[in-house]
Amino acid sequence: MLFLGFSAGLPFLLVFSTLNARLADVGVETATIGFFSWLGITYSIKVFWAPVVDRLKLPLLDRLLGKRRSWIIFAQAGIATGLYLMAQVDATAAPEMMALCGLLVAFSSATQDVAIDAYRIEIAEERLQAALAATYIFGYRLALLVAGAGALYLAEFWSWQVSYEVMAALVGVGALTVLIVREPSVNHFAAAQDIAHKIEQEAAKLTHLNPRLARLVGWFYAAVAGPFLDFFRRYKELALVILLMVAVYRISDIAMGVMANPFYLDFMGFSKTQVADVTKIFGFFMTIAGSLVGGVMVVRYGVRRILLLGAIMTAATNLLFVVLAQYPPNIITLAAVVSADNLSGGIANVALIAWLSSMTSASFTATQYALFSSLMTLPGKFLGGFSGIVVASFGYAEFFLVAGIMGVPAILLAIFMIRNGHRLDALAPRNESKPDAEAESP
């Protein structure tokens, strides 16, 4: 899981902040850079093709590797191909081709995430899932360090072409892992399949559908409609408020992140090495520290209070960038602001993940969490696409001010969640059990 986590994390920054730094470094217009952030929307809508990854068997690869490993290595082939092509493209002469290559990487990476999540759930029993998830996250963070600071160092001392070629080669770490590890033998969490079979039987009885159409009805309900219906039936009128909270909580953070590297490199004038040192390496450890602090605080004070604290800190740290934009470049000041930003981000993310996890039903854990994770990044990614226009029209200070103000709805909704905590606790799923894995064992 350490190496698969590395494989999952490697492509993310290469189509997001590292790509933005590359585009700014070679002279691509700021407004155009902002639109490139829409590549990240692919990660936010992966839930739409997740059922295909879960059900469809790839020809030949499925027989050689099995369902999960075949999809993972198929996605890795797309990532490596896309990164290699990005290394060869001149972004200033052909920004459209760069965007298409980036889309191939983003789509393949999001598909890999779906397959690895399924692999992690199915490879071991429930009591080991927390350890597997923790190892996966650590590998993911290491990959972010390599794709962030590592890519910037390679670009500084060699070129962007060499940087992206090395990143394409590093996809081999995940591919080698897939070839070595074993395929899961049992689907431990097969509740959706049971539900699909029941709906298929009922559809065939009540509507006299032919078997194929009945199976399609059952599959659609279990994969698509079931998670939504379960969520809305459970939380009733609070469901829309919860979804709104999920949608707006990270808008401020994600929108600001789109213009962070262009701000450091283009406006402030820091070198790629300085940006890598402060924002990637130092920022990496500050994010880990924020995650640890957030985890302890959630246990001590409860998830909703820390959810509110994270929302306040995220909006406040965006305002620190407004101050930073008013003064001449100073590496110490940059380090202080980046520290506050990453510390608050770590606290907010831990609280958000803990809160979302507590609201998922055992019958739809993976699907509902995928829906939540898609929704929590989609609005920020979409609005982030216009960030370059805001910067070009008004300036960086004004943009960061707007990004900070965008965090106010999350603060207000977090207060609402605290005030309605008893109602939410009463509606939350309790004592749900996973399907019995032993009954399905060979």
Side-chain angles (χ1 to χ4, degrees), residues 389-430:
I389 295 177
V390 176
V391 171
S393 301
F394 301 99
Y396 278 101
E398 290 77 6
F399 166 72
F400 291 130
L401 177 61
V402 172
I405 294 173
M406 289 168 66
V408 173
I411 296 173
L412 298 176
L413 286 168
I415 294 173
F416 176 86
M417 295 300 169
I418 292 176
R419 292 181 176 178
N420 289 270
H422 293 299
R423 295 175 63 195
L424 290 169
D425 290 338
L427 297 171
R430 296 183 184 278

Side-chain angles (χ1 to χ4, degrees), residues 249-262:
Y249 192 79
R250 292 198 61 200
I251 281 182
S252 178
D253 176 40
I254 294 175
M256 189 284 293
V258 174
M259 283 292 117
N261 276 332

Side-chain angles (χ1 to χ4, degrees), residues 69-407:
R69 292 193 300 157
S70 65
W71 271 105
I72 295 172
I73 205 162
F74 180 72
Q76 289 168 345
I79 294 169
T81 301
L83 290 177
Y84 180 79
L85 292 175
M86 290 178 74
Q88 314 308 315
V89 173
D90 183 348
T92 54
E96 298 87 356
M97 181 58 66
M98 179 65 77
L100 289 174
C101 295
L103 181 60
L104 173 60
V105 174
F107 179 80
S108 300
S109 177
T111 303
Q112 180 187 226
D113 289 350
V114 173
I116 290 179
D117 285 340
Y119 178 88
R120 184 183 70 250
I121 292 171
E122 296 176 2
I123 196 64
E125 57 192 278
E126 187 175 1
R127 68 183 181 86
L128 298 177
Q129 289 300 314
L132 291 179
T135 310
Y136 171 85
I137 291 172
F138 183 63
Y140 196 99
R141 289 290 181 182
L142 287 177
L144 294 183
L145 189 62
V146 171
L152 289 175
Y153 284 137
L154 289 171
E156 177 74 14
F157 294 110
W158 281 280
S159 67
W160 282 111
Q161 179 179 347
V162 171
S163 178
Y164 270 72
E165 287 175 345
V166 171
M167 296 299 120
L170 286 176
V171 178
V173 172
L176 183 61
T177 303
V178 171
L179 295 177
I180 293 174
V181 299
R182 65 181 176 87
E183 176 74 5
S185 57
V186 177
N187 183 348
H188 294 289
F189 305 137
Q193 294 180 356
D194 296 336
I195 292 170
H197 181 64
K198 292 177 182 177
I199 297 299
E200 174 188 336
Q201 291 179 327
E202 292 300 319
K205 289 178 184 177
L206 299 177
T207 61
H208 305 290
L209 297 177
N210 65 59
R212 289 186 178 180
L213 193 53
R215 279 196 298 271
L216 178 61
V217 172
W219 179 90
F220 180 83
Y221 182 91
V224 181
F228 284 104
L229 294 175
D230 173 80
F231 178 76
F232 280 97
R233 285 172 180 169
R234 182 147 37 88
Y235 287 104
K236 300 178 177 64
E237 71 278 2
L238 292 176
L240 290 177
V241 182
I242 292 171
L243 292 178
L244 182 61
M245 174 68 169
V246 175
V248 304
Y249 192 79
R250 292 198 61 200
I251 281 182
S252 178
D253 176 40
I254 294 175
M256 189 284 293
V258 174
M259 283 292 117
N261 276 332
F263 171 68
Y264 303 142
L265 295 168
D266 185 25
F267 183 79
M268 299 297 289
F270 292 109
S271 69
K272 291 187 287 292
T273 302
Q274 288 175 315
V275 173
D277 289 339
V278 175
T279 68
K280 304 304 179 183
I281 296 180
F282 185 65
F284 168 81
F285 291 105
M286 292 305 298
T287 301
I288 295 297
S291 300
L292 292 174
V293 171
V296 173
M297 295 178 73
V298 166
V299 173
R300 177 66 180 83
Y301 300 106
V303 67
R304 296 188 190 98
R305 291 181 180 179
I306 308 308
L307 203 64
L308 173 60
L309 176 64
I312 294 173
M313 292 181 67
T314 299
T317 51
N318 281 347
L319 298 180
L320 291 179
F321 283 91
V322 177
V323 178
L324 187 63
Q326 309 298 319
Y327 294 94
N330 184 296
I331 195 70
I332 302 300
T333 307
L334 176 65
V337 173
V338 168
S339 296
D341 182 57
N342 285 306
L343 189 68
S344 64
I347 293 173
N349 283 335
V350 164
L352 182 61
I353 291 171
W355 183 60
L356 295 181
S357 300
S358 70
M359 293 189 299
T360 57
S361 170
S363 297
F364 303 100
T365 303
T367 307
Q368 286 184 347
Y369 191 85
L371 292 172
F372 289 148
S373 62
S374 296
L375 184 59
M376 75 181 181
T377 56
L378 182 57
K381 295 286 178 61
F382 177 75
L383 292 176
F386 300 102
S387 58
I389 295 177
V390 176
V391 171
S393 301
F394 301 99
Y396 278 101
E398 290 77 6
F399 166 72
F400 291 130
L401 177 61
V402 172
I405 294 173
M406 289 168 66

